[in-house]
Each structure stands twice: as structure tokens, then as C-alpha cells.
Amino acid sequence: KNNPFKIVKMDRTTDKREDNGEKELNAFVQSLLKQMQDRFEDMSNGVVSRIDDMGKRIDDLEKSLGDLMKNYDGEEEIGTR
């Protein structure tokens, strides 16, 4: 005859293995998500830094163009007198 206690014991062992497997899978997925989040943050920070640098360069370029326009207007006025 089949012993129901033996089957229950096997099911509990199987359940423990599945629980351990689920825990390992969960830990792996959490670790993978953390790595992806860290990489995304690094890339985001790099993009923001580059955008800030470009903004500063554009500001410098606008200032230089403004200075050139002032100098050009001043030379034009001196030449027409």
C-alpha cells in the first residue's frame, strides 16, 4: 500500500526546493534590476552632464557673438563719421 506520510514528506521537500528556487530567482532578479538601475542612473547623469556642458558652450557662443555685434556696430559708426 502507498504510505500517505511518505508522499507528504516528499511534497514538503519539493516545496522547500521550490521555495529555495523561488528565493534564488527572486534574489537574481532583484540583483539584475539593481544593476540595470545603476547603469541607467550612470547613463542619465552622463547625458545631463553633457547637456549642461553644451548649454554653457551655447551661452559662451551667444556672449561672443553679442560682443562681436557690439564691436561691429561701433566700427560702423566710427567709419561713417
Side-chain angles (χ1 to χ4, degrees), residues 5 8 12 20 34-35 39 56 67:
F5 295 109
V8 170
R12 286 183 182 167
N20 287 339
K34 176 70 172 135
Q35 289 175 7
R39 288 181 186 167
K56 290 175 187 173
D67 291 345

Side-chain angles (χ1 to χ4, degrees), residues 41-77:
E41 287 177 12
D42 289 344
M43 289 173 49
S44 294
N45 290 338
V47 169
V48 169
S49 176
R50 289 181 182 173
I51 290 172
D52 288 343
D53 289 344
M54 288 175 61
K56 290 175 187 173
R57 289 180 182 178
I58 290 170
D59 290 343
D60 291 344
L61 184 59
E62 287 176 340
K63 184 181 179 305
S64 295
L65 286 173
D67 291 345
L68 286 173
M69 294 295 285
K70 285 179 187 176
N71 289 338
Y72 181 75
D73 288 342
E75 288 177 8
E76 230 180 49
E77 288 177 12

Side-chain angles (χ1 to χ4, degrees), residues 2-48:
N2 289 335
N3 184 348
F5 295 109
K6 188 173 185 179
I7 292 172
V8 170
K9 186 176 181 183
M10 291 176 78
D11 286 344
R12 286 183 182 167
T13 304
T14 302
D15 286 345
K16 287 181 183 178
R17 284 188 204 142
E18 287 177 4
D19 287 345
N20 287 339
E22 287 177 17
K23 288 178 183 176
E24 288 177 13
L25 179 60
N26 190 18
F28 173 76
V29 170
Q30 291 295 326
S31 172
L32 187 61
L33 288 173
K34 176 70 172 135
Q35 289 175 7
M36 290 173 64
Q37 182 179 4
D38 291 345
R39 288 181 186 167
F40 181 79
E41 287 177 12
D42 289 344
M43 289 173 49
S44 294
N45 290 338
V47 169
V48 169

